[in-house]
Amino acid sequence: MPGLSGPELQERMSELGATLPIIFLTGHPDIPATVRAIKAGADDFLTKPVTSDDLLKAMRGDCAS
């Protein structure tokens, strides 16, 4: 993503008081980054390729499988 990384965007949104749900999608899973994102309020962190079912579950707030 040009300009900001996902975690940087999440931090900026938090600073602005945004309350939108955040679902991270990554092709390069990184456990420390995942933990930081979830602790910072991300709703889910999915690793590509993501099935449409798993993405829909995350969007509904169900546990990802």
Side-chain angles (χ1 to χ4, degrees), residues 2-65:
L4 294 174
S5 68
E8 290 169 338
L9 177 59
Q10 180 186 26
E11 182 178 348
R12 184 71 179 124
M13 289 174 61
S14 178
E15 290 169 355
L16 294 172
T19 58
L20 296 169
I22 297 173
I23 300 170
F24 279 89
L25 298 173
T26 184
H28 306 283
D30 174 342
I31 292 175
T34 303
V35 170
R36 281 191 303 273
I38 296 296
K39 283 186 174 182
D43 293 278
D44 213 329
F45 202 103
L46 305 174
T47 302
K48 297 176 191 176
V50 176
T51 66
S52 57
D53 286 342
D54 285 342
L55 182 56
L56 289 171
K57 285 178 186 178
M59 292 169 62
R60 286 192 305 259
D62 298 344
C63 294
S65 24

